[in-house]
Amino acid sequence: MSKVRNFIILVIIIMALWHLYGETFNQSGLQGVKEDFLTDVDEIRENPIVIETVDTISTGVQLLIGKISENIQDEDEQIQPNIPAPDKPNLQAPSVQSFSIHNIEIGDTKEEVESQVGSANRESLNEYGVMWHAYHENYHNFFMVAYDEHNRVVGLYTNQDLLSTTIDLSFNDTRDTVLSTLGEPLSGIRKGLINYKIQSHNEYDTFSLDDSYVTIFYDKHENNTITAVELISEELEKKKEAFFGIPSPELREGLEYQLFDLTNASRVIHGLPVLNWDESVRNTARNHSIDMAENNYFSHTNPLGQSPFDRMEEDQIVFRTAGENLAAGQSSSIFAHEGLMNSKGHRDNILNPAFEALAVGVAFNEDNQPYYTENFLAK
């Protein structure tokens, strides 16, 4: 008798759960993702379950296109975890340059750097033909250093609050403060007979200071406060003869891993867990970049009419939620990432707490222009 009673109770519970959550269940999963993506745009905009923004931003040679993602989440997934951060280093004022990052200045030696922070977590080729050495503690206290052939620092970057200056600037300051402190930014950089015009649309400014090019990036979603800083020595900049780097398999892989690392460094700032690199979806992302570069188009939908989710399914990628970011025209993963963070749809993908993994695919067109595809997913 008790078994019958328990069975009846179980049936009642199942019916109640189906009544409450059946509609959500029907809309989730692989098939639901594909159907939501193919829905008419006006219908999508009325559906709060799908984050559907498709933004196109034209900034001279920089083009961004927004994200398409299926955003079914359990309530538990929407709660941002409390990630304990390691201690921030005790920052000192620079002794030679106007700027230092993690107490490191242009001209310091690799030995001096690694006596402070240890060995790099990753080394990857950048557009200047040298390696970015990425240092971090599970993406906290993240910064990158480039060295010349004599192991002297010729490049620095961070998107975390590791900046020290002799001119009283910090990550709490806005673009207005930067301009009032440093004056008029550069309008272009000459390389040989060509003057490459800087068209930043106020998302970053570049200054010539201390025999270096200082680029300060701003967060449009945080009152235009400083969000990242890149320092490149004039010596290193002069060695790059054109706007884009020289394509190679090593540069392609370098840009892919750099964009992955930059994404995780941004996530930990916002209290989110780091994403795992998912090798299974790397070819999907890379092949879409190749397709765009070779066939001269820029869209989430390829000429065969396939969506990002169709491409993942075709490559037998298993996922329960996924998203895609695209970028093209940026000279580096740094500029691509900072631009993506200033676009609402891209930013939502980068900071989506439901995502667990990411892979990046890069390809170059005949003009050496890189195309970037980010595929986010959770399984």
Side-chain angles (χ1 to χ4, degrees):
M1 191 69 177
S2 60
K3 291 183 179 180
V4 174
R5 184 178 66 249
N6 290 342
F7 176 76
I8 293 173
I9 292 172
L10 179 61
V11 170
I12 293 173
I13 291 173
I14 292 172
M15 291 177 65
L17 290 173
W18 180 260
H19 177 73
L20 290 173
Y21 300 110
E23 184 62 24
T24 299
F25 177 80
N26 286 333
Q27 293 175 1
S28 65
L30 257 156
Q31 184 177 2
V33 172
K34 184 174 179 180
E35 289 176 353
D36 283 339
F37 176 81
L38 296 177
T39 304
D40 179 81
V41 172
D42 290 332
E43 183 180 339
I44 289 176
R45 285 174 179 157
E46 296 172 359
N47 183 355
I49 292 178
V50 181
I51 298 179
E52 43 52 65
T53 54
V54 182
D55 307 328
T56 302
I57 303 175
S58 176
T59 58
V61 294
Q62 298 198 3
L63 298 174
L64 303 174
I65 192 162
K67 64 107 175 184
I68 301 168
S69 71
E70 189 274 341
N71 195 41
I72 308 297
Q73 299 178 22
D74 294 328
E75 290 184 2
D76 290 341
E77 291 175 331
Q78 297 177 12
I79 300 173
Q80 295 188 6
N82 182 20
I83 302 173
D87 292 336
K88 180 180 173 180
N90 183 23
L91 301 177
Q92 307 293 326
S95 58
V96 178
Q97 306 284 319
S98 298
F99 288 82
S100 67
I101 290 174
H102 205 295
N103 296 324
I104 297 159
E105 302 176 48
I106 298 291
D108 286 351
T109 67
K110 184 178 182 181
E111 183 180 8
E112 290 172 325
V113 173
E114 298 199 340
S115 67
Q116 296 184 52
V117 295
S119 300
N121 298 74
R122 190 194 308 278
E123 299 176 15
S124 55
L125 190 68
N126 64 26
E127 70 279 11
Y128 290 99
V130 297
M131 309 295 280
W132 275 127
H133 295 69
Y135 302 91
H136 57 86
E137 302 162 75
N138 197 29
Y139 292 100
H140 294 276
N141 297 325
F142 176 88
F143 68 105
M144 298 195 298
V145 183
Y147 302 101
D148 65 11
E149 63 274 20
H150 304 297
N151 280 332
R152 290 278 178 180
V153 175
V154 289
L156 286 163
Y157 167 87
T158 188
N159 60 359
Q160 297 187 4
D161 189 7
L162 301 173
L163 178 69
S164 297
T165 74
T166 59
I167 50 181
D168 197 26
L169 283 177
S170 73
F171 269 48
N172 295 319
D173 289 316
T174 65
R175 180 173 188 261
D176 289 341
T177 303
V178 172
L179 295 180
S180 65
T181 303
L182 297 179
E184 192 71 18
L186 296 175
S187 60
I189 296 178
R190 179 171 293 278
K191 292 181 177 292
L193 298 177
I194 302 175
N195 185 51
Y196 291 93
K197 188 176 182 180
I198 297 172
Q199 295 180 315
S200 68
H201 289 251
N202 301 332
E203 293 189 7
Y204 62 88
D205 291 305
T206 300
F207 304 88
S208 180
L209 194 67
D210 299 331
D211 297 322
S212 296
Y213 291 100
V214 179
T215 300
I216 300 178
F217 299 88
Y218 310 108
D219 191 333
K220 292 170 61 176
H221 300 280
E222 297 289 343
N223 301 315
N224 286 316
T225 51
I226 298 174
T227 189
V229 176
E230 182 186 53
L231 311 177
I232 300 294
S233 72
E234 287 185 359
E235 171 195 0
L236 183 59
E237 188 64 53
K238 287 177 181 178
K239 288 182 178 179
K240 186 161 75 83
E241 297 180 354
F243 182 75
F244 298 116
I246 300 173
S248 68
E250 293 76 19
L251 179 59
R252 175 184 63 188
E253 186 174 84
L255 295 179
E256 290 170 348
Y257 281 128
Q258 288 153 29
L259 193 50
F260 173 77
D261 287 343
L262 293 167
T263 298
N264 274 332
S266 290
R267 283 177 66 90
V268 300
I269 297 170
H270 292 83
L272 296 169
V274 300
L275 300 173
N276 297 313
W277 177 268
D278 192 326
E279 188 67 26
S280 69
V281 79
R282 182 188 212 167
N283 284 337
T284 306
R286 187 180 280 179
N287 286 339
H288 187 56
S289 289
I290 292 171
D291 194 24
M292 290 189 294
E294 291 182 348
N295 294 295
N296 194 31
Y297 75 94
F298 189 58
S299 174
H300 292 286
T301 305
N302 66 20
L304 299 177
Q306 293 177 311
S307 74
F309 314 115
D310 294 332
R311 293 190 291 271
M312 291 183 196
E313 288 181 4
E314 184 176 64
D315 291 342
Q316 299 182 335
I317 307 300
V318 177
F319 63 93
R320 57 184 171 83
T321 181
E324 181 174 271
N325 282 350
L326 303 178
Q330 296 82 0
S331 61
S332 72
S333 291
I334 288 174
F335 282 86
H337 175 73
E338 297 302 333
L340 292 168
M341 283 295 289
N342 269 330
S343 179
K344 180 65 166 61
H346 304 91
R347 187 186 185 96
D348 286 347
N349 265 351
I350 292 168
L351 302 181
N352 190 331
F355 291 142
E356 299 168 350
L358 166 67
V360 181
V362 170
F364 305 92
N365 68 7
E366 59 184 8
D367 298 318
N368 299 341
Q369 172 182 323
Y371 284 70
Y372 307 83
T373 299
E374 292 182 309
N375 283 154
F376 300 84
L377 68 159
K379 296 183 177 181

